[in-house]
Amino acid sequence: MESKTVGVLGGGAWGTGLAQALARGGHKVSMWALEPEVKESVNNEHENKRYLPGYKLSPNLTVSNDIVEVATDKDFIIIASPSLFLASTIRKITSVPNIAEGESVICALTKGFVPSKGGPKLVLETIENVLPGIYKGKTVYVAGPSHAEEVAEGKLTGLIAASENAKNSIKVRELLRVPGIVAFSSFDVVGVQICSAAKNVIAVVYGALDAVSEHSQTFGDNSESLLMAAGLNEIQELGKAMGATHSETFTSIAGVGDLDVTCKSRFGRNRRFGKDIINTDILSNFKNLDDLIANISKIGYLPEGAVACKYIHEICEQKGIKLPISDGLYRILNKEIRPMDFLDEIINFGKSINA
């Protein structure tokens, strides 16, 4: 594929990791970051010392603190903003000529759900509600088992580009096919987004169970596999309720692949959070789930599953579905039940989870 110009909006670990892969593959990549220190370290030392320290970055990757500059005259725009700031980020670029006229292909890496007055929204729905109307049904969602650290290193990673628009899905798929990445297309936009958001919730519980298993006569590797299988069932049930169109999405890298790496990888922030719930009693610093979300920066890293848990709870109430693992984590984070009490509940698997 010929070299393309790419603007990445968000200088966190995942945005930086993918930007590095694209830059290493020969594309000219400009990344927007809020923090001046990110701009300085990437442009001068070719390293994002704040969000992805220890990984050398390509000279083809530059950073600007001016979001309009990064978005201007780009073939592709990649949104890597956290879900809580997604809409406000998009509003800053809607008047950029190549976006106002629908010339740039826009795709998103953002994980999770987006709060709104009408209830939690999916990422692409939120983006398309803010972008010019020409983008309706044409944005692309990128997901898959893809820890930023390994993507930045060039270790083999699989990604899926999902869109209602076949042409744009293929364009993003081909953009992503750089050394170290194998990429596929999907038309199940809802299913891929649900997998990307809900797996983080399961990974938090997995981390907690992993911490307990280290000193338990009750839980072990078999228990963790059982939890993962039951978690995948919950993700699929949520996906169907939200309008997922392809059952194979959940057995693809978007589903079981991303769930597996999020639960098991040493890089996983959600797994880490689950372990911290048990090992350091991290929840003692917060009154309830809303307090945790409002002060999530105090954790020192971002466990997306804590935020997604709140919105999945709302969706379940709206749609009348029951997801025992997700509900259990919600009750733990909301201080309605102690972590060990929930783990004791799932010993009776037939009543608590569906594997």
Side-chain angles (χ1 to χ4, degrees):
M1 184 179 183
E2 66 180 26
S3 177
K4 298 294 183 180
T5 55
V6 183
V8 178
L9 307 186
W14 181 206
T16 302
L18 186 59
Q20 161 63 6
L22 295 174
R24 186 176 54 235
H27 299 296
K28 187 174 181 181
V29 185
S30 178
M31 186 168 72
W32 169 68
L34 277 171
E35 304 85 356
E37 64 267 29
V38 173
K39 175 183 175 180
E40 181 178 347
S41 68
V42 173
N43 292 345
N44 297 334
E45 302 176 59
H46 304 297
E47 181 183 354
N48 188 337
K49 291 186 173 181
R50 176 161 181 171
Y51 294 111
L52 200 62
Y55 296 87
K56 204 67 177 176
L57 304 177
S58 168
N60 284 340
L61 170 58
T62 59
V63 171
S64 171
N65 297 135
D66 184 343
I67 192 171
V68 171
E69 176 187 339
V70 169
T72 299
D73 295 330
K74 298 298 190 296
D75 298 315
F76 293 84
I77 304 291
I78 298 176
I79 313 298
S81 169
S83 59
L84 293 174
F85 310 109
L86 183 62
S88 60
T89 297
I90 302 300
R91 290 190 187 98
K92 296 174 182 176
I93 63 169
T94 54
S95 61
V96 174
N98 45 292
I99 294 174
E101 297 169 13
E103 295 175 354
S104 298
V105 177
I106 295 181
C107 60
L109 310 178
T110 303
K111 297 177 174 65
F113 301 92
V114 183
S116 74
K117 293 180 180 179
K121 303 293 184 185
L122 294 174
V123 169
L124 291 194
E125 180 183 7
T126 301
I127 290 174
E128 291 179 3
N129 284 342
V130 178
L131 285 170
I134 194 170
Y135 281 102
K136 195 70 175 178
K138 294 181 180 178
T139 58
V140 183
Y141 192 77
V142 175
S146 49
H147 282 300
E149 294 83 356
E150 293 193 355
V151 173
E153 285 184 305
K155 291 186 176 180
L156 184 63
T157 298
L159 296 175
I160 282 183
S163 180
E164 295 177 16
N165 184 282
K167 185 176 181 180
N168 284 351
S169 174
I170 292 170
K171 283 183 177 180
V172 173
R173 181 193 72 191
E174 295 306 303
L175 176 76
L176 296 172
R177 286 183 170 174
V178 294
I181 295 179
V182 292
F184 309 89
S185 291
S186 171
F187 304 126
D188 188 3
V189 178
V190 171
V192 172
Q193 290 181 89
I194 291 295
C195 288
S196 183
K199 49 93 177 181
N200 290 322
V201 174
I202 306 303
V204 174
V205 180
Y206 187 98
L209 183 59
D210 189 41
V212 171
S213 297
E214 294 174 2
H215 310 285
S216 174
Q217 296 297 316
T218 303
F219 300 107
D221 291 348
N222 295 344
S223 317
E224 291 175 356
S225 293
L226 176 58
L227 174 65
M228 190 179 297
L232 183 61
N233 281 341
E234 288 200 6
I235 294 170
Q236 186 165 8
E237 186 172 352
L238 179 64
K240 289 179 179 178
M242 294 288 288
T245 56
H246 294 68
S247 60
E248 57 267 29
T249 296
F250 302 95
T251 54
S252 74
I253 58 172
V256 68
D258 206 358
L259 175 64
D260 179 77
V261 79
T262 306
C263 287
K264 294 182 178 179
S265 174
R266 60 190 174 92
F267 297 118
R269 293 184 299 271
N270 293 286
R271 175 187 174 178
R272 176 183 173 185
F273 182 60
K275 290 176 75 71
D276 284 344
I277 289 174
I278 301 299
N279 292 336
T280 71
D281 193 23
I282 196 170
L283 296 183
S284 64
N285 298 314
F286 308 101
K287 297 177 181 178
N288 52 33
L289 180 53
D290 286 336
D291 184 48
L292 188 157
I293 293 173
N295 297 282
I296 203 163
S297 61
K298 293 181 179 179
I299 294 175
Y301 55 91
L302 179 60
E304 297 98 334
V307 182
C309 182
K310 173 182 172 68
Y311 300 130
I312 289 176
H313 179 76
E314 292 180 14
I315 292 168
C316 287
E317 287 191 332
Q318 291 172 356
K319 297 189 174 293
I321 59 176
K322 294 182 179 181
L323 305 178
I325 299 171
S326 300
D327 180 66
L329 180 61
Y330 174 85
R331 289 185 291 143
I332 290 170
L333 301 184
N334 207 36
K335 299 295 188 71
E336 297 174 16
I337 188 173
R338 294 180 303 175
M340 290 308 303
D341 289 339
F342 174 64
L343 293 179
D344 286 342
E345 280 185 11
I346 65 174
I347 290 175
N348 190 348
F349 296 112
K351 294 183 178 179
S352 299
I353 59 176
N354 178 20

